[in-house]
Amino acid sequence: MKKVLSRIIAMAIAVILFAAPTATVSAATLPTLVMNVDGIKVYRYIPDPYSLSANQSLILNDTTTSDGYWKVPAGNKFTFNVTLSDNAVNQYQRVLVVGKKQGMITYTDISSYKYPQFNLPALPYDEEYQFWLVAITDLSVAGYDGYVRVD
């Protein structure tokens, strides 16, 4: 009986030790702000890309705001880019762009672009946007960026 109990305890300790690094890796996949200059904010998942399974979604937040929305002043255009990891061949995604004041703005077609880009028009009022990335197939997100511009 003592042998069985000691083996169970040994297995439990092994499971705990091997599970601990997994928790650390998943916690490390939060977006890291790497640039915030003149209306340009660039985020990267460091050290590893953020992996999504098919049918999972991810909100690509502006972590410098309390609610995660990207703030765009009236009269400014806004460009938002997503960067998928290098192994992004045959990975398909869809992006939902939501405007806080006017509700849903656009639900993009399914695409397999490694660098999907979204150009939002200038509006006569301040707007706040949220971007939802929906994985159609398994994919890895390396980062994203958004910038306000006047043309």
Side-chain angles (χ1 to χ4, degrees):
M1 182 68 169
K2 285 184 179 181
K3 279 186 175 180
V4 172
L5 189 56
S6 66
R7 286 182 183 168
I8 290 172
I9 291 172
M11 287 176 47
I13 291 171
V15 167
I16 291 169
L17 290 175
F18 286 115
T22 304
T24 305
V25 170
S26 64
T29 58
L30 293 172
T32 302
L33 182 64
V34 295
M35 185 169 75
N36 185 2
V37 179
D38 296 331
I40 300 171
K41 295 178 185 174
V42 178
Y43 291 90
R44 294 288 173 255
Y45 288 98
I46 300 171
D48 298 314
Y50 190 94
S51 296
L52 284 168
S53 298
N55 300 316
Q56 285 185 321
S57 64
L58 172 67
I59 300 174
L60 304 173
N61 284 324
D62 178 355
T63 62
T64 63
T65 65
S66 61
D67 59 4
Y69 279 85
W70 294 79
K71 316 290 188 209
V72 181
N76 290 276
K77 294 181 178 181
F78 186 72
T79 297
F80 189 80
N81 302 290
V82 179
T83 304
L84 300 180
S85 65
D86 289 336
N87 60 353
V89 178
N90 297 323
Q91 294 183 6
Y92 292 87
Q93 77 281 341
R94 175 175 267 177
V95 174
L96 172 65
V97 182
V98 179
K100 198 173 198 179
K101 292 192 186 324
Q102 298 295 320
M104 189 186 325
I105 300 298
T106 184
Y107 196 53
T108 67
D109 292 330
I110 295 172
S111 72
S112 63
Y113 297 120
K114 183 176 174 184
Y115 304 104
Q117 183 179 72
F118 305 92
N119 295 303
L120 303 176
L123 298 173
Y125 52 86
D126 292 352
E127 182 58 288
E128 300 175 25
Y129 294 102
Q130 192 174 60
F131 295 86
W132 291 65
L133 181 69
V134 181
I136 304 302
T137 60
D138 293 353
L139 58 91
S140 298
V141 183
Y144 56 93
D145 59 87
Y147 60 96
V148 175
R149 67 187 201 287
V150 180
D151 286 342

